[in-house]
Amino acid sequence: MKTLEGGRIGIASQAVGIAQACLDASIRYAKERKAFDRPIAEFQAIQFKIADMATNVEAARMLTLRRRN
């Protein structure tokens, strides 16, 4: 069971890293993509979506770290 638990933590860590990379890519894209002559990152709806993503990534990171200890 210890081996399985360690494997699960490793997979969770990888998933958090992938989610963080997706968040970073989303932020870059929102700053580059323009609509109505403005970056879409300036629109509140996009900001809310990115904030929700960041919250979920951070929650997953904290759960992974807590499980490790």
Side-chain angles (χ1 to χ4, degrees):
M1 289 305 285
K2 282 271 191 201
T3 303
L4 285 176
E5 188 172 324
R8 289 181 185 135
I9 293 170
I11 298 298
S13 297
Q14 289 175 347
V16 169
I18 291 168
Q20 182 66 53
C22 290
L23 174 62
D24 295 343
S26 298
I27 293 169
R28 272 194 312 275
Y29 179 77
K31 289 178 180 178
E32 292 173 6
R33 175 78 162 88
K34 294 194 181 225
F36 307 107
D37 296 324
R38 301 176 9 189
I40 64 170
E42 292 182 13
F43 295 110
Q44 193 173 39
I46 302 299
Q47 293 172 357
F48 284 158
K49 287 179 183 287
I50 290 174
D52 286 341
M53 284 178 69
T55 301
N56 288 332
V57 170
E58 191 61 26
R61 179 178 287 115
M62 292 298 113
L63 285 169
T64 302
L65 290 173
R66 180 178 176 153
R67 190 66 183 142
R68 187 180 297 169
N69 294 331

